[in-house]
Amino acid sequence: MAGSSWWCALGALPLVLVLIGALTAGAATPGTASVVSDLLVPGGVAGLFRAADMPGASDPTTALLAFVRVAHVLRAKPPFQALAYLDAVALAQSAAAALPPHGVALTPSGTVAEVVHTWASSSGLVVVGGSLQAAPGPDAAGRRQALEWAGVPLADWIKRLNAGETVRVEIPSERVPLPLSPEIWASAIVHRPVPPEQLAAAILGDRRAAFMYHGLMALDDETLAFFGNHPSLLSAVADKSAAVFAEWGRSIRLRNEHLVVPGGDNAAPVWQALIGREPTDVDGFIRDLLARDGGRAAFFYDTVAHLETPRQAFALGTGADADQINRARALYGSFARSRSVESLNGWQVVRHPVNPAAVLIQIRVDDTGRMAGPSWRSLWETVFGGLPQACASARVNAAPIDAAWLVDRIERERPERRAEWLGAVTFAQRMFPTAGLADLPAVCEAVTSFPRNNGLLLTLERIGLDRPADYATALRFASRSWAGFDRGAAVVDTAQVQGVLAILERAVTTGVLEKSRAHASAMSLFALPSRGPAGASASDPATGGLAVGAVGRWMRSTLLPQLCSDKTPAEACLVRAVSGQGLPAAPAIVLSWEDQRYRVDLGAATAVRLERIRVIQKSTRIDDALTLQDVAVALADPRAGADEIQRQVATLNALAPGLRLEFDGLFGHPIPALRATLDDARQSLAHADARTRGEKATRLLTMSDVLLADALVSFAYAGAIGDPDDSILMGGDPSRRHLFDATAGPALDAWHLPEEVRMPDKSWVIQGSVLALRTVYSQSWVRRLSVQDPGTRPRPDPQDVRAFGETVTAFSPFRLSDATRDGIVAAIRRGRTRAAELLTTPPALWQRAVSVGLSEWRCRAALWLVRTDQVRAVTLFSLTDLLRIGEPDLPRAELDGWGVATRTLDGSLSVRLPDGHAWEDVQGPRGAGVLPTQLADVHLRVAEALAALGLPAALSPDVAAYAVWDAITSADMAHPDDWWAVARAAAALPDDRFLDYVSALTAIGPLVPVANGAAIRLP
């Protein structure tokens, strides 16, 4: 075989195949015997992966699927070393089969010695003078290495044989699932006779055959049987469309030799029109489906097949629609032209997370298959035009939005903009589903602005705004800061407002502030007066930036009294609000852990973390900025007497030493010399006349705005950084380098979601808003119990790790209840029982796979494994799978509280539980942050563990912050996008590890020690 010169040299070696041949046929459960058999991997799967220098061989039932993807897709060259391994072990096996079954002893001559010579040479050994030793040359060394990788104790055998002992020589093989029979593979795919021990090498060594293995492993029994009974079809697919079949052939389904097309029999005319052949011509339809447009037809077919029924109707239309076929053609055209799909070593891969399939999956539709509101055609035509000013003239027409128009419109955007426009659509569907005609201009203005202002709009969504007019008001308020004034002043205004909105959002998230009150507070903020040009009305929202000191006065009059009814200092009040310590009194949860009593205080650790970070930042304190403003306001009062002036000057003198004013730039803009301004006021105010005092008070008031902007942005950064010891803070407070406005580009980038950018000096800064800043620093929220190096195995890409962290930050303890947690655990337990039952009736399992979104590949592997190990077969379903199979009887909103961040998919800041789709439905480009959006298994494992320990569900997010790191570093991943490996690692997190996680929460976490009836303050 290629790459094995020693194989050719020993090709005449007589092979004894009786023993190996007896192992090729395995018993199968009823319904699978005719379509699934055993494939022998000489030496075992672990050795194969080791020979190929690949990790990730923990489960032989699915290992070859990963091998095919890595060896033939992610790597450009065939795995010659792995093939040499299979050849070497198979050769040694064949020779060993000729040895006496009871064992052999080494002797210098005789029949047994000849057999030993044969086995020794096949194992890279040589008999010299009646003893075994290593044969010279690289081929012999390679054969010995192969046997070592297979776990053969060759050195021990040599030692014992040379000592005159009798040794029983056994060289193992490992069984893995083989769709169809070895005979069919040999005749229809490999096209030559292949001995059983060489079939694995024949399949894995040929990219075309390897792709066929991957594709056939996703088919149900009846469909597999059809392919087995039609070898000419099988050969045609293997020869012409193997790569397409590997990725999208899973959606080919037959019942009674009748093709089940997506959308059912009513959609058959559509598919006939698209593929150019009637579905009743099964053989011809499958060939043309896989070959058409380089596989794009199969991509479309697979996408529609995995949509829920209403979304299928949205994609294909309905039979009552006379234009159904034309609309389906138009939609298919977007798939055929898509720039999101390309070939990687022959395999069709999706290269962008927002591709035509993703749009169809994420868009909301009603039960009839129509796009959920707002779905006015004129609205979306105006929106995608990108000009908010055009919204005033937008008119409603009756033309509905169809899938073809929407998919094409998003697909035509630049790749970096597609996610923002899809996010705009999903945002509108979440926020304005019932908007009326009168709301059209406001809805249009909000949605059109989404790509440039998504940070603002998504934050307002979390605060609780739900009226289109309120969003329009907020957008106009945000834009007026940049009208008519220098950018430095605009940045100061923007920084103050965003800092306040970030506080409101966190106060709502923690439950300290009800959404209705936060809504009212936000709207009052947007009504603050302007400092427009001379002669302009201060109430005119179009006249420019905020009046000097407006935000500080609003905080004093509105925000602080709302959050803290007592005289708590401003910063302490805000810490309480954003940490959840300001919640109304509730029955304390006290528990015992390791012989110590603890009280569950969800805000304690957050408060300590914020205080530590604020000390490290060494930035302006919010109280100091507000105090300076109070002084400036008092001094500006023409009625202020000498005593009042003296009191204010004394306050300035007391305040001055604690202010850190030695910085000449803020947020990328120069600022006045703050220390000089303050010192001048302290020295001259006591003797200044009214006019001079007013001028100096105005300078102090402007200075207080700068300091308040500095303090609020720094506070937002403190809330976004999860670990006070993170390297982010090693260079000082990063908040002062934040860039609200880009050096080039639209000014309103200031309200876009924050992004990390690299500066010309190679440093990294955050650009955009400080709203949702945790999405940038999310990785700092993933916690580790150990600093041990996880090794060189593949790990999720950095963007995926960041997305895992984003889920950690969004997993809120304030949304969790023990009752929901227990309902989830019960559903998972129920799912295990039902999964075991489904594995005994394959047709029922395949039907369930369609209805709840199970991976076809894992269903096939589980059906193969259940023959010998029912318990382990059930473990081939993820915890998310088991939850779906168990059908939890819980409100969707409560279930979603245990979900994961989905911003990569739908552009939102919310969390939701993956539902209705397997990983393969949404997997896109590696490292784009898609992987974590389908991995709620860490949270579900945490739910199981805390329920078993009898601990409250509210501890789950803090526990998950530790568990997620262990899951992604312990996963036996074959490649960085190996979703299944991480899901399995999460489910396999050991119980005793959770004891460590909970113990960690007593050091810095929500478990506060209690002594003598009182809580002990955490250090």
Side-chain angles (χ1 to χ4, degrees):
M1 199 169 272
S4 308
S5 60
W6 44 266
W7 170 264
C8 297
L10 297 173
L13 183 68
L15 301 180
V16 182
L17 304 178
V18 176
L19 176 61
I20 296 176
L23 298 175
T24 59
T29 55
T32 63
S34 63
V35 293
V36 180
S37 53
D38 291 349
L39 175 66
L40 288 181
V41 178
V45 169
L48 172 69
F49 272 63
R50 190 173 179 184
D53 192 25
M54 288 169 47
S58 60
D59 193 330
T61 57
T62 57
L64 291 197
L65 296 171
F67 185 92
V68 171
R69 183 175 290 273
V70 174
H72 288 290
V73 181
L74 302 182
R75 297 183 181 179
K77 296 182 179 179
F80 288 123
Q81 190 172 353
L83 302 181
Y85 162 83
L86 293 173
D87 286 345
V89 178
L91 183 63
Q93 283 178 329
S94 299
L99 296 173
H102 57 275
V104 295
L106 186 64
T107 60
S109 63
T111 304
V112 173
E114 291 176 1
V115 175
V116 169
H117 271 287
T118 302
W119 166 73
S121 62
S122 69
S123 302
L125 305 172
V126 64
V127 181
V128 179
S131 65
L132 275 175
Q133 55 188 262
D139 287 343
R143 293 195 290 273
R144 292 193 299 274
Q145 180 68 75
L147 292 177
E148 289 178 11
W149 284 334
V152 174
L154 197 59
D156 179 64
W157 288 350
I158 294 172
K159 180 179 179 181
R160 292 171 59 191
L161 286 168
N162 287 337
E165 296 183 34
T166 299
V167 174
R168 183 174 180 180
V169 176
E170 293 182 320
I171 301 176
S173 283
E174 188 167 24
R175 301 182 186 188
V176 299
L178 177 68
L180 302 177
S181 68
E183 294 76 17
I184 293 176
W185 276 91
S187 63
I189 299 176
V190 180
H191 299 312
R192 59 183 172 83
V194 183
E197 77 281 5
Q198 296 178 33
L199 183 55
I203 293 173
L204 299 179
D206 182 341
R207 179 167 281 155
R208 180 184 57 88
F211 287 170
M212 289 302 295
Y213 178 88
H214 193 280
L216 290 169
M217 276 290 290
L219 302 184
D220 62 40
D221 299 340
E222 199 168 346
T223 307
L224 262 181
F226 181 88
F227 274 94
N229 293 329
H230 294 76
S232 62
L233 170 62
L234 197 59
S235 295
V237 172
D239 293 340
K240 298 180 180 179
S241 306
V244 175
F245 180 69
E247 180 74 355
W248 294 314
R250 62 177 180 153
S251 295
I252 298 174
R253 300 175 186 139
L254 288 105
R255 296 294 177 268
N256 300 318
E257 299 198 350
H258 173 75
L259 197 63
V260 181
V261 296
D265 290 342
N266 291 335
V270 173
W271 293 111
Q272 178 180 346
L274 296 180
I275 307 304
R277 194 181 292 265
E278 293 186 8
T280 53
D281 178 6
V282 177
D283 187 299
F285 184 90
I286 292 174
R287 296 185 194 212
D288 290 353
L289 169 69
L290 297 173
R292 186 174 177 82
D293 289 325
R296 304 301 179 89
F299 176 33
F300 181 57
Y301 189 92
D302 179 75
T303 297
V304 179
H306 287 83
L307 295 174
E308 303 91 327
T309 300
R311 283 195 170 91
Q312 286 185 340
F314 178 58
L316 299 179
T318 63
D321 187 347
D323 201 31
Q324 181 185 17
I325 291 177
N326 289 336
R327 292 170 59 191
R329 283 186 194 277
L331 177 59
Y332 170 65
S334 293
F335 279 74
R337 295 186 302 271
S338 176
R339 295 164 290 172
S340 301
V341 180
E342 63 183 63
S343 175
L344 182 61
N345 292 321
W347 189 295
Q348 304 299 305
V349 294
V350 177
R351 287 299 198 187
H352 196 281
V354 180
N355 56 78
V359 174
L360 293 179
I361 290 173
Q362 298 304 325
I363 293 299
R364 297 186 181 188
V365 300
D366 62 24
D367 292 339
T368 68
R370 289 180 175 270
M371 178 178 169
S375 58
W376 304 305
R377 179 67 171 264
S378 57
L379 166 66
W380 293 107
E381 287 174 342
T382 305
V383 165
F384 284 115
L387 298 174
Q389 58 268 32
C391 291
S393 59
R395 295 290 183 267
V396 175
N397 63 41
I401 290 289
D402 59 39
W405 185 88
L406 185 62
V407 169
D408 176 71
R409 191 59 189 79
I410 292 177
E411 182 69 16
R412 284 195 281 117
E413 289 292 330
R414 300 193 309 272
E416 63 272 16
R417 295 293 302 274
R418 292 180 203 158
E420 293 175 341
W421 282 119
L422 178 58
V425 177
T426 57
F427 169 78
Q429 291 191 309
R430 290 193 307 272
M431 300 313 301
F432 315 129
T434 59
L437 300 183
D439 297 317
L440 174 60
V443 170
C444 178
E445 186 175 349
V447 182
T448 305
S449 300
F450 187 89
R452 295 174 66 187
N453 298 278
N454 53 8
L456 172 62
L457 297 175
L458 293 172
T459 298
L460 296 180
E461 176 186 357
R462 291 176 65 81
I463 287 174
L465 274 67
D466 56 4
R467 293 194 297 264
D470 292 341
Y471 282 90
T473 297
L475 287 165
R476 292 167 192 163
F477 173 82
S479 66
R480 89 182 198 201
S481 297
W482 304 90
F485 285 89
D486 67 87
R487 296 181 73 84
V491 162
V492 169
D493 288 350
T494 300
Q496 293 181 83
V497 173
Q498 288 189 9
V500 168
L501 289 175
I503 291 168
L504 284 176
E505 185 272 329
R506 293 307 303 168
V508 169
T509 299
T510 59
V512 169
L513 200 58
E514 294 178 356
K515 283 191 173 182
S516 59
R517 298 177 66 195
H519 181 170
S521 295
M523 296 312 297
S524 69
L525 177 67
F526 301 147
L528 289 179
S530 166
R531 65 167 184 271
S537 169
S539 62
D540 183 355
T543 55
L546 294 173
V548 179
V551 173
R553 287 191 292 270
W554 178 86
M555 290 180 66
R556 288 286 198 201
S557 64
T558 302
L559 181 64
L560 294 174
Q562 196 171 43
L563 296 177
C564 300
S565 57
D566 52 16
K567 299 297 183 180
T568 305
E571 187 140 339
C573 172
L574 298 179
V575 167
R576 285 171 55 184
V578 301
S579 66
Q581 288 191 312
L583 287 170
I589 301 176
V590 178
L591 53 88
S592 295
W593 187 259
E594 297 177 339
D595 300 323
Q596 173 67 51
R597 295 173 69 243
Y598 295 92
R599 175 172 55 84
V600 177
D601 188 335
L602 298 179
T606 300
V608 170
R609 176 182 59 81
L610 281 171
E611 290 170 3
R612 284 185 58 192
I613 294 176
R614 294 293 283 148
V615 170
I616 295 170
Q617 286 176 317
K618 298 179 180 179
S619 63
T620 306
R621 307 290 290 186
I622 294 173
D623 291 275
D624 291 344
L626 292 177
T627 298
L628 181 61
Q629 181 186 95
D630 294 340
V631 169
V633 171
L635 291 172
D637 188 346
R639 297 168 299 177
D643 291 343
E644 176 64 17
I645 293 172
Q646 290 296 333
R647 279 195 295 272
Q648 298 304 328
V649 171
T651 301
L652 282 181
N653 290 332
L655 188 64
L659 293 177
R660 298 181 176 91
L661 304 177
E662 288 68 32
F663 58 99
D664 56 5
L666 187 64
F667 313 137
H669 292 270
I671 57 174
L674 300 180
R675 179 65 67 183
T677 299
L678 181 62
D679 289 344
D680 175 65
R682 292 166 58 199
Q683 295 166 8
S684 60
L685 273 171
H687 309 290
D689 56 34
R691 184 180 63 81
T692 302
R693 190 175 76 244
E695 293 174 352
K696 295 183 182 299
T698 299
R699 294 194 193 101
L700 286 178
L701 192 59
T702 301
M703 176 180 170
S704 75
D705 269 0
V706 173
L707 293 184
L708 185 58
D710 177 40
L712 287 172
V713 171
S714 180
F715 191 82
Y717 267 72
I721 298 171
D723 183 1
D725 298 320
D726 197 284
S727 60
I728 298 165
L729 295 167
M730 292 180 63
D733 187 359
S735 68
R736 285 178 174 170
R737 298 193 68 206
H738 186 96
L739 297 179
F740 287 95
D741 55 339
T743 54
L748 288 183
D749 282 349
W751 295 93
H752 192 279
L753 283 173
E755 297 177 1
E756 198 169 25
V757 297
R758 196 165 191 176
M759 302 298 288
D761 64 359
K762 307 301 183 183
S763 64
W764 290 92
V765 300
I766 307 303
Q767 178 178 299
S769 73
V770 296
L771 304 172
L773 196 57
R774 290 188 180 197
T775 60
V776 178
Y777 288 133
S778 56
Q779 194 169 339
S780 71
W781 291 82
V782 178
R783 307 199 184 283
R784 312 176 189 183
L785 286 181
S786 171
V787 294
Q788 182 178 359
D789 185 352
T792 58
R793 293 175 297 177
R795 293 285 165 261
D797 286 297
Q799 188 68 11
D800 285 327
V801 175
R802 175 173 158 178
F804 275 116
E806 193 169 331
T807 284
V808 170
T809 70
F811 191 17
S812 171
F814 302 99
R815 293 185 59 184
L816 308 180
S817 71
D818 291 353
T820 300
R821 186 269 317 275
D822 294 342
I824 287 173
V825 172
I828 293 173
R829 189 182 303 117
R830 210 161 45 240
R832 288 192 177 95
T833 301
R834 292 179 181 176
E837 295 170 353
L838 289 170
L839 287 171
T840 66
T841 53
L845 175 63
W846 291 112
Q847 183 177 359
R848 196 69 172 147
V850 173
S851 63
V852 301
L854 304 180
S855 166
E856 290 91 345
W857 285 275
R858 285 187 286 111
C859 286
R860 170 56 61 207
L863 285 170
W864 178 84
L865 182 59
V866 77
R867 308 171 310 167
T868 56
D869 193 337
Q870 185 181 42
V871 173
R872 199 157 66 88
V874 174
T875 67
L876 289 177
F877 298 104
S878 70
L879 292 177
T880 303
D881 293 337
L882 296 174
L883 179 65
R884 294 172 185 163
I885 295 171
E887 297 178 318
D889 185 19
L890 294 166
R892 182 71 209 195
E894 293 183 17
L895 282 173
D896 282 342
W898 292 83
V900 291
T902 60
R903 186 169 60 89
T904 306
L905 295 180
D906 62 8
S908 76
L909 296 178
S910 61
V911 295
R912 58 184 168 93
L913 207 63
D915 184 36
H917 291 279
W919 161 242
E920 293 84 7
D921 297 353
V922 299
Q923 66 178 336
R926 168 183 153 184
V930 176
L931 180 70
T933 66
Q934 300 301 300
L935 265 166
D937 297 71
V938 172
H939 295 180
L940 300 181
R941 178 68 184 105
V942 169
E944 285 188 318
L946 293 189
L949 292 170
L951 295 174
L955 299 180
S956 297
D958 291 276
V959 171
Y962 290 100
V964 69
W965 178 254
D966 280 353
I968 62 179
T969 55
S970 66
D972 194 15
M973 302 179 74
H975 50 86
D977 210 31
D978 194 344
W979 175 92
W980 175 230
V982 182
R984 294 199 74 170
L989 288 171
D991 293 338
D992 57 358
R993 193 60 169 163
F994 284 90
L995 302 180
D996 296 335
Y997 301 152
V998 176
S999 295
L1001 304 189
T1002 66
I1004 178 168
L1007 293 182
V1008 180
V1010 176
N1012 301 323
I1016 302 173
R1017 181 175 174 79
L1018 288 169

